[in-house]
Amino acid sequence: MAYTVGQVARAARVTVRTLHHYDEIGLLRPGGRTPAGYRRYDEADLDRLQLIRYYRELGFPLEEIAEILDDPDSDPVAHLRRQHELLSGRIGKLQEMVAAIEHAMEARTLGIQLTPEERFEVFGDFDPDEHAEEAEQRWGDTEAYRQSQERAGHYSKEDWLRNKAENEDWGRRFVALMDSGAPADGPEAMALAEEHRQLITKWWYDCSYEIHTGLADMYVADPRFTAYFETLRPGMAAYLNEAIHANAITRA
Amino acid sequence: MAYTVGQVARAARVTVRTLHHYDEIGLLRPGGRTPAGYRRYDEADLDRLQLIRYYRELGFPLEEIAEILDDPDSDPVAHLRRQHELLSGRIGKLQEMVAAIEHAMEARTLGIQLTPEERFEVFGDFDPDEHAEEAEQRWGDTEAYRQSQERAGHYSKEDWLRNKAENEDWGRRFVALMDSGAPADGPEAMALAEEHRQLITKWWYDCSYEIHTGLADMYVADPRFTAYFETLRPGMAAYLNEAIHANAITRA
DNA sequence: GCTTGACCCTCACGCAGCGGGAGGCGGGAG
DNA sequence: CTCCCGCCTCCCGCTGCGTGAGGGTCAAGC
């Protein structure tokens, strides 16, 4: 069974030009040609093109793909296996990016300023030694700097004010609940935790129970977030953390 | 607080040249310059660069990023929100690709040939009508074609033979179990299901319980896979499916 | 006050990975 | 025999930087 460039292009969702290019640079030479010079692709070519597409999707340069594919030491299965790993890695990285976005959004709502490193942390590993030491000199006394910048955030719009009002209203009711002595895993605390989750969903993004517990853990893990809640009411970070977890468990 | 190009470049994990480029094309103009002409970046520039990096990671061209960022109708939060959605979408797509890879690997182990469309299905939506009708003419009578190609697979190597032997051994024992009249959710069936999972892990990729049940469902959903198991022993596809599910539930 | 080394500046050319068009041949349907 | 679509081979253009060349700058140390 042989296919023309156009057929292959449509099936593989690439342009004819791309196939020409791959032919030119020797990455994917069609199995043969017709007397008139038309390219004829066979099954083996499709196999190869499939692998090429996956490697491209993963960001490999064409030359490197050619090397990988022409390596006699790796059979077709090895490629699939490898791509499986690479894809899993990519997914993990993207999930980190999602977490970073959530972190950034949460920081904004509370008016907390992130350090330059934190903003870009997710974009790659860099020498942690270099970081730990240089950070102090390069970005100044970060803690003091943060304090000064805190709540200086980047507000905008009118919605923003309503959002803030709703948040503060929720905060007052939450503090009142704590003062009442109600348990953190009781129905009232869980109700307010749920309301918190829905406030996030309403104003920011679709906050699942999983994401919500992730945020809750950050509230007690990241000192700046902890500090924020502790200023509202001592013990609030831990109390809120427990309430969110209790809520997530019973609702999910 | 102002930063030099070098500082920003290190923090954001881009090159100085890239920042120069962004300045040139107007995508990211530094907040100011020193008397000597040195670029000085401020916090707002870092904010913007962070967004740029995320959009780039998502494959947006620079010009489009500029448009998006300079759109007065979308505040900073809207960007984060948007990126959150886009990232989630990307993750979903990659997960489909992983599933496709697993599908391809499984097809290979059983010597089943995929159609050209199936190979590239994951790379984008295309008109399903066009597909359903044209597929028949363009790729020939697919069912007959598949039959003829079945088991003509792409074998290689020596490991391959050992793998095959182990698989067949497992198959014999599984058929024997079925003949014994043991229930599909009984301990022996679950033990063989577990062994199946570990064979995949040993020879192909790390097969979690989740992936395993996904495969099991494919065995009864995709007629070609069903056919394969049914030739070994009528009723085997459904029986194996149940065993795998039972195993996954009790072990996980 | 002078050197040194790390950092900054502005051109300017180059390269990958195609996009897109020009100009021309091939082939099957009518 | 003609029409039209699909194929062919140049070839120029674009994006997103990499990589110097050639030359100023600034903080540190002597």
Side-chain angles (χ1 to χ4, degrees), chain B residues 32-102:
Chain B
R33 297 264 188 154
T34 68
Y38 284 26
R39 274 165 259 254
R40 312 253 77 188
Y41 292 87
D42 56 32
E43 291 296 335
D45 295 331
L46 287 184
D47 268 351
R48 192 175 167 92
L49 180 53
Q50 185 183 12
L51 292 173
I52 292 171
R53 287 237 53 192
Y54 275 100
Y55 278 117
R56 279 256 66 197
E57 193 78 11
L58 289 166
F60 284 76
L62 299 184
E63 203 179 325
E64 203 168 327
I65 296 175
E67 283 173 26
I68 294 170
L69 293 181
D70 294 337
D71 177 9
D73 290 348
S74 71
D75 57 301
V77 171
H79 289 299
L80 292 173
R81 194 169 185 160
R82 178 170 178 177
Q83 290 180 326
H84 191 263
E85 280 170 29
L86 289 169
L87 281 168
S88 303
R90 279 281 294 170
I91 289 176
K93 200 188 162 192
L94 286 181
Q95 280 170 344
E96 278 175 36
M97 287 179 63
V98 167
I101 292 264
E102 283 161 8

Side-chain angles (χ1 to χ4, degrees), chain B residues 4-6 17 20 33 37-39:
Chain B
T4 68
V5 263
R17 179 67 182 88
H20 284 174
R33 297 264 188 154
Y38 284 26
R39 274 165 259 254

